Amino acid sequence: MSRTEEHADDRPAGFGSLAHRVPDLGALELLLAVARLGSLGGAARELGITQPAASSRIRSMERQLGVALVDRSPRGSRLTAAGALVTDWARRIVEAAEAFDAGAQALRDRRDSRLRVAASMTIAEYLLPGWLIALRAQRPDTAVSLLAGNSAAVAERLVSGEADLGFVEGVTVPAGLDSAVIAHDRLIVVTAPTHAWARRRRPLAAGELVTTPLILREKGSGTRQVLDAALGGPALPLIELSSTTAVKAAAISGAGPAVLSELAVGEELAMRRLVRIPVDGIALARDLRAVWPTGHRPTGPARDLLSLTRG
């Protein structure tokens, strides 16, 4: 037998948690209202409950405390001597609870006054601006900071607590994060109009893409992860660059073919600064995901931003 069990019978009366010995805030607020108004019915109306419910709550509190608190008569309700004493204590408890509530609200307001977003480059450049404009309309007082980087960097910032919500475009969900698919994207092969591939009459074979040096995003980027997975191994780099804009500029200059998000090259394709090269035998579709630390579902402005991505 443990020492706790051995002395269980020696415990004083009333031993146990405060939650079982102290009336809840609703009951204490009711008692204060009765003291102020001199009427159980008036107190019930003020608190938005029925008079029978108020009577039941007072009786329950009296049983819990073991003393009579309110004398009821046709002329109204008045506190007993014990009730007046309990009311003084109740007032201090309710005032402390009000201070607690005000402090908690201040914490929520401080949390909701900022939002730190980390996003991979394609999402940061081509999707987030529209979402953030919509969020601004909903939450004009929320200051948003955006940390753009590759998918690996986004994961690091979320796990370390440097960001509240992230967006990635890789093949898998980084370790330590939960996710939701918010959109779909496709990688495409593009070249300058002067490149030999731009004059092809047949689609490019997957094997040609495997053996051709390409202008690529750096390792760790979602674009690179998807391409390597689709090719069944690492793509052959001609140049490795750390931003989508830099990859586009290199491709437009004629340096070589590039693989980029379809979202990123719409304007360049429309203006014929780049040409899309069809490819057979390879799947380059990918999911775009919102991510957050495992077990910490987004709240406040992060939750609102997440809902806007699905609109």
Side-chain angles (χ1 to χ4, degrees):
M1 178 182 294
S2 72
R3 186 175 181 84
T4 300
E5 292 170 333
E6 182 180 353
H7 293 281
D9 292 337
D10 297 331
R11 291 168 179 164
F15 185 89
S17 72
L18 282 173
H20 293 96
R21 305 199 312 272
V22 176
D24 62 40
L25 281 174
L28 296 179
E29 286 180 313
L30 175 62
L31 184 63
L32 290 174
V34 172
R36 186 175 66 257
L37 299 173
S39 165
L40 189 61
R45 286 191 296 274
E46 182 176 278
L47 297 179
I49 60 177
T50 65
Q51 184 163 339
S55 295
S56 175
R57 187 170 291 183
I58 292 293
R59 286 194 298 272
S60 177
M61 185 164 42
E62 289 173 330
R63 286 194 300 272
Q64 185 178 22
L65 296 177
V67 294
L69 301 173
V70 178
D71 280 335
R72 305 162 186 83
S73 73
R75 294 186 300 276
S77 301
R78 65 180 183 84
L79 300 180
T80 64
L85 186 58
V86 170
T87 298
D88 286 339
W89 299 334
R91 186 172 293 107
R92 280 176 271 171
I93 294 172
V94 171
E95 287 172 354
E98 289 171 344
F100 180 93
D101 180 58
Q105 182 61 50
L107 288 176
R108 289 192 295 270
D109 290 344
R110 186 171 67 181
R111 178 203 66 192
D112 291 352
S113 68
R114 68 168 187 171
L115 173 62
R116 301 167 302 167
V117 180
S120 55
M121 298 300 295
T122 299
I123 297 174
E125 291 184 58
Y126 301 101
L127 293 175
L128 258 175
W131 297 337
L132 293 180
I133 289 171
L135 181 67
R136 178 75 175 174
Q138 288 187 7
R139 287 182 171 268
D141 296 328
T142 297
V144 180
S145 61
L146 172 60
L147 303 168
N150 62 37
S151 293
V154 171
E156 289 173 7
R157 287 187 171 119
L158 285 167
V159 171
S160 67
E162 296 177 57
D164 305 306
L165 183 65
F167 297 94
V168 297
E169 53 201 57
V171 179
T172 59
V173 179
L177 302 180
D178 289 337
S179 74
V181 174
I182 55 164
H184 303 282
D185 185 26
R186 183 178 301 278
L187 300 183
I188 61 174
V189 179
V190 294
T191 69
T194 55
H195 192 276
W197 283 1
R199 298 186 291 275
R200 292 177 63 103
R201 295 183 179 275
R202 292 180 299 173
L204 193 69
E208 292 177 86
L209 198 61
V210 171
T211 57
T212 301
L214 303 169
I215 304 169
L216 299 170
R217 284 287 309 280
E218 79 286 4
K219 293 180 180 178
S221 73
T223 298
R224 186 70 172 270
Q225 292 173 17
V226 172
L227 177 60
D228 288 351
L231 296 179
L236 190 60
L238 173 65
I239 310 171
E240 291 182 319
L241 299 167
S242 60
S243 77
T244 300
T245 300
V247 173
K248 282 197 295 185
I252 289 170
S253 74
V259 179
L260 287 164
S261 164
E262 197 169 31
L263 294 170
V265 293
E267 181 180 342
E268 289 75 14
L269 293 176
M271 298 179 66
R272 291 287 297 175
R273 288 191 288 168
L274 288 174
V275 177
R276 179 174 184 162
I277 309 301
V279 183
D280 274 347
I282 186 170
L284 292 173
R286 62 179 177 176
D287 294 328
L288 306 182
R289 293 182 174 90
V291 288
W292 55 88
T294 298
H296 294 82
R297 187 77 182 176
T299 60
R303 178 196 58 225
D304 292 347
L305 178 58
L306 178 58
S307 68
L308 288 170
T309 66
R310 298 164 171 174

